[in-house]
Structures are given as structure tokens and as C-alpha cells.
Amino acid sequence: MTTIVTILSEGYADWETALLNAGARQYYGIETRFATPGGKPVTSAGGLRVMPDLAVEDIDVAAIDALVVNGGTAWSREDAPEIGAVMVAARDAGKTVAGICDATLALARAGLLDTVRHTSNSPDNLGPTGYAGKALYQDQPSAVVDGRIVTAPGTAPVSFMGAVLETLGLRNGDLDFYLGLYGAEHKAA
């Protein structure tokens, strides 16, 4: 069974991976699991308290297909959770590694954005991480896929959902339908 593990941090942005996880689970039958640093409960920006399935430290990258990092204010702090080792291990194992909004900071700190096209909330957002991929930054409002690395600004949960599912080989008429459905409000009248 295809498995997606989403990493949540304290104050995570509820909306950023909601469509991805709901669509993956409900429409595609994908197993969705949630991890937090230390396996501790976290509370979202909107007040939703989550008891995770596992600790980040216990993620077995051999047993998953995608590792998704949900955005939130924790990733922009100096004491941001350290999750670089599991992200690098997932990338090295050929798994999808995805980050949205400020979660792209975690990918940049781990060196995952040094050699791939990527995006974030703004061109200046990733600079403080000291990463070496500035020349590959794509200043666009939708998700960017380069190999199995997916990045998106926080305002792009729909294209992020589509990009992650596409890297899992699920690009078909159903996915196109869901992308159209969830993105319909953004189409010009």
C-alpha cells in the first residue's frame, strides 16, 4: 500500500496539507500517517490538536513512499526542529520529499534544494538558511516538481496536492478532476 507520512510541528498551518491527505486517503486509498518531533501532540495554527502516529525519529523511509513536511511558523525559528536526516534518507532512497510554505526552509537547511528547481513563499525566504540553490529558485505561485522533490508556497495547497500525487504515479483523469474541482474558485470568470 502506498504510504504518505506528513511531518507536523507546533503551530503547523492546518490548510497546507489538508487537501493532500484527505484526497490521498479518501479518493486513492493511500495510507496517511502523521509524525511530530519526539512523537508529541501538536496544536495547529487554527487550534486543532493532533496526536501523531509516530515520532519523526521513528520514520522508516523504506516503508513509505512520500515524506511531506507541513508548513508553519516553527520552521522559521532558530530552534526549528531538526529533521534533515530523515529527509535526506528519504531522498536518497528515491522517495518523494515535499515541503510547503516555511517547510521549504527545512528542505533548504538539509541541502535538498541545492541542485533542484524549487519555490517557496518568496525569493528571499530561503536565503537565511545558507543554501546553495538560489539560482534554481522558481518565483511562481504554484508547486514546483523536480524529480521527486516538491516545493510550494503556502498559498498553493491545491497544486501541492497534485504535484505530490503526480510523483507517486497518480497523474490521471481523476487527479485532473480533483485539481479542477479544488481550484475552481481561482479561475477567471
Side-chain angles (χ1 to χ4, degrees), residues 10-172:
E10 187 62 33
Y12 72 93
D14 313 54
W15 58 93
E16 292 178 348
T17 63
L19 288 175
L20 168 61
N21 284 296
R25 182 181 174 102
Q26 182 70 31
Y27 302 127
Y28 290 98
I30 293 172
E31 181 179 3
T32 56
R33 302 189 74 209
F34 299 88
T36 62
K40 298 176 182 171
V42 293
T43 303
S44 74
L48 179 63
R49 189 165 170 84
V50 172
M51 174 60 78
D53 298 302
L54 70 160
V56 169
E57 301 79 10
D58 295 333
I59 296 172
D60 176 5
V61 297
I64 68 171
D65 300 282
L67 183 64
V68 175
V69 186
N70 198 106
T73 57
W75 305 117
S76 62
R77 295 193 318 246
E78 285 188 26
D79 64 342
E82 177 49 55
I83 61 169
V86 72
M87 289 188 301
V88 169
R91 181 211 48 204
D92 291 350
K95 311 299 179 163
T96 295
V97 180
I100 184 169
C101 192
D102 276 349
T104 58
L105 293 165
L107 274 72
R109 281 188 200 101
L112 272 67
L113 305 182
D114 289 349
T115 60
V116 299
R117 290 178 302 105
H118 59 279
T119 194
S120 185
N121 290 335
S122 75
D124 299 325
N125 196 45
L126 301 174
T129 67
Y131 88 121
K134 186 174 183 178
L136 297 167
Y137 185 85
Q138 309 292 297
D139 192 13
Q140 65 184 59
S142 57
V144 171
V145 178
D146 194 333
R148 302 280 309 253
I149 303 293
V150 179
T151 54
T155 54
V158 175
S159 65
F160 185 70
M161 172 195 73
V164 171
L165 294 175
E166 185 172 330
T167 66
L168 296 175
L170 298 172
R171 187 61 190 231
N172 60 26

